[in-house]
Amino acid sequence: MFSLAAAACGSSASRETVLRFWAMGREGEVVAQLLPEFERAHPGIRVHVQQLPWTAAHEKLLTAFAGDATPDLCQLGNTWIPELVALNALEPLDQYAAASAIVHASDYFAGIWDTNRVDGKLYGVPWYVDTRLVFYRRDVLQHAGFSAPPRSWQEWKRMLAAVEKQGRPDRYAMLLPLNEFEPLLALALQQDEPLLREDGRWGNFAGAGFRRALAFYLEIFQRGWAPRLATAAISNVWHEFGRGRFAFYVSGPWNIGELRRRLPAGQQDTWTTAPLPGPNGPGASIAGGSSLVVFRASRHQAAAWRLIEFLSQPAVQRRFHALTGDLPPRRATWEDPGLAADRHARAFREQLERVKPAPKIPEWERIATEMRLVAERAVHGELSVDQAAQELDARANRILEKRRWLLARRGAG
């Protein structure tokens, strides 16, 4: 009897599917709280979550690919997707999405969904979203004579000038940390011209669009509206924002929770958020965040897709938002009364209808780093707008040299 029971137990265990799921940072900690419900609904599937720190995740993924040791599914930063697609590491998900009763492309913010499409194929499903918009001090703006946030660059400049004219010592109208490329990227994405040309073969920074964005960005520093500082030079960004050292700050959704925790109750009504102004009206911003992908080498792709479907349900996304503060990628999830009534998150909901992906090429993050470095030189007066744009094109073109070679060989073949 004992041997028969043991054999039966062993047979049951051998039929169990174990999904290996890699997740990064805080999300890797929190997602485990959602999985018991999935495992109850799918008794033949068990999920093993491995949490990776963001600082080591990229190297870990490339090492796993090289060693044929990738997980079944993974959380992946949107800008990493093109690189793993180029390595042929990811499974296209079009057939799964087309047959799904849960994942509907039309319910996702279009710009966020588009970050997961490379060369016309779908390689990921958005899990949570990130973008940049304006955090501002309402009381400071009201004191300067404005009752509403800016909706265009011209309105924004008038407000920045008015705040600066109040003449407060060691205080500025805006904070634009020089170690962050995202604000400049958002301004550049608001332009009609792409940042790269000829299918990502060459930089397009010397084009009119980027030069217009860079000129506006530099004007903010040249007029003294923002200090020439990196974030590290400010001991506590939230405290400085609370004491009014700057009235505007372009940042992401995590700072909603930070400001709620760090500012005293008496200051909670002094600040709020607004969508990013554009050149002639409401502007676009960055389509960031993380998506869920399935690896081509997985032997459990269908089971991995079922987990993606579970994590994509609006009810599950609401719980995930409550645990992490991460913004959901589906419009249906935003219909939750609690989220819809969140006055600080409301501007993000509006902004998410106007987000654009960065260029979808493996080399983009390296180019973004060069954009930050060149822009910092221009802020310090070492380069003019035209010189900075030409320098950035030169650096981008060097980075893209291998891409041009590969695409040329592909065309010749």
Side-chain angles (χ1 to χ4, degrees):
M1 289 290 291
F2 176 80
S3 61
L4 287 175
C9 185
S11 176
S12 173
S14 67
R15 291 195 300 269
E16 184 179 65
T17 295
V18 178
L19 285 177
R20 293 180 301 130
F21 178 21
W22 288 4
M24 288 69 165
R26 171 67 175 157
E27 289 74 26
E29 298 176 13
V30 166
V31 71
Q33 300 179 42
L34 304 174
L35 296 179
E37 179 183 341
F38 172 79
E39 293 179 343
R40 286 193 297 270
H42 302 83
I45 303 175
R46 183 165 57 87
V47 183
H48 173 71
V49 179
Q50 181 173 346
Q51 181 192 3
L52 305 178
W54 276 109
T55 52
H58 186 264
E59 182 179 355
K60 175 78 172 178
L61 284 165
L62 294 182
T63 301
F65 172 76
D68 195 22
T70 52
D72 295 294
L73 73 161
C74 181
Q75 169 194 356
L76 208 61
N78 291 343
T79 57
W80 294 359
I81 289 176
E83 181 178 10
L84 291 180
V85 169
L87 293 172
N88 201 30
L90 302 183
E91 179 70 13
L93 301 177
D94 300 87
Q95 62 174 338
Y96 293 105
S100 178
I102 296 173
V103 176
H104 304 291
S106 61
D107 191 41
Y108 287 79
F109 299 108
I112 297 296
W113 185 264
D114 187 41
T115 64
N116 291 269
R117 298 193 66 84
V118 179
D119 296 332
K121 294 183 180 180
L122 181 72
Y123 288 96
V125 174
W127 192 19
Y128 66 85
V129 297
D130 177 25
T131 191
R132 299 293 190 277
L133 49 61
V134 175
F135 286 72
Y136 71 98
R137 287 288 301 267
R138 292 192 305 174
D139 55 341
V140 175
L141 253 64
Q142 288 171 356
H143 190 259
F146 300 95
S147 59
R151 301 287 283 178
S152 69
W153 285 5
Q154 287 303 317
E155 288 184 6
W156 206 0
K157 289 200 288 186
R158 285 198 296 270
M159 293 181 188
L160 292 168
V163 171
E164 193 270 336
K165 283 181 180 178
Q166 295 180 18
R168 301 174 302 169
D170 193 34
R171 298 194 177 191
Y172 296 87
M174 192 171 183
L175 178 65
L176 277 178
L178 296 180
N179 60 320
E180 297 179 5
F181 69 84
E182 290 87 356
L184 176 56
L185 174 59
L187 297 175
L189 290 173
Q190 294 177 350
Q191 312 303 313
D192 294 331
E193 298 88 345
L195 294 171
L196 304 177
R197 57 187 176 87
E198 296 185 34
D199 193 25
R201 289 173 169 83
W202 303 93
N204 195 37
F205 297 98
F210 182 77
R211 285 189 290 110
R212 186 184 307 116
L214 180 60
F216 174 64
Y217 177 80
L218 294 180
E219 184 180 1
I220 294 172
F221 295 96
Q222 291 164 352
R223 292 185 179 272
W225 295 336
R228 294 175 171 87
L229 298 173
T231 307
I234 300 174
S235 59
N236 187 313
V237 171
W238 310 281
H239 172 74
E240 298 298 333
F241 185 63
R243 77 179 187 91
R245 188 179 179 190
F246 48 92
F248 289 97
Y249 181 33
V250 177
S251 191
W254 64 88
N255 268 327
I256 292 177
E258 293 291 349
L259 289 169
R260 285 173 176 170
R261 283 191 296 270
R262 294 171 181 268
L263 296 188
Q267 285 191 319
Q268 290 299 326
D269 287 335
T270 65
W271 69 276
T272 192
T273 57
L276 203 60
N280 302 301
S285 191
I286 301 167
S290 285
S291 297
L292 299 170
V293 302
V294 177
F295 281 90
R296 190 179 289 272
S298 169
R299 293 183 292 111
H300 308 299
Q301 292 179 358
W305 176 257
R306 286 197 286 272
L307 178 55
I308 290 177
E309 285 189 314
F310 170 78
L311 294 172
S312 300
Q313 295 178 54
V316 176
Q317 288 190 351
R318 291 184 192 111
R319 299 214 310 273
F320 187 64
H321 167 72
L323 291 167
T324 63
D326 292 337
L327 300 182
R330 300 186 64 160
R331 296 181 181 91
T333 310
W334 282 86
E335 294 173 2
D336 174 71
L339 190 54
D342 188 328
R343 62 188 176 93
H344 295 127
R346 195 175 301 132
F348 281 94
R349 169 64 179 82
E350 180 181 342
Q351 186 69 73
L352 288 169
E353 296 288 358
R354 296 188 302 276
V355 292
K356 294 182 179 180
K360 290 181 280 186
I361 61 169
E363 300 86 354
W364 172 250
E365 289 196 351
R366 292 170 59 197
I367 295 174
T369 297
E370 297 300 326
M371 183 174 69
R372 178 183 63 80
L373 295 172
V374 171
E376 184 172 357
R377 290 183 60 194
V379 167
H380 287 293
E382 299 175 21
L383 299 171
S384 68
V385 170
D386 288 345
Q387 289 171 334
Q390 292 167 5
E391 174 66 18
L392 190 48
D393 265 345
R395 295 189 185 197
N397 292 341
R398 286 196 293 270
I399 292 171
L400 294 168
E401 184 175 2
K402 183 177 180 181
R403 175 175 176 81
R404 292 193 296 274
W405 181 81
L406 289 172
L407 290 177
R409 285 177 60 86
R410 185 186 302 174

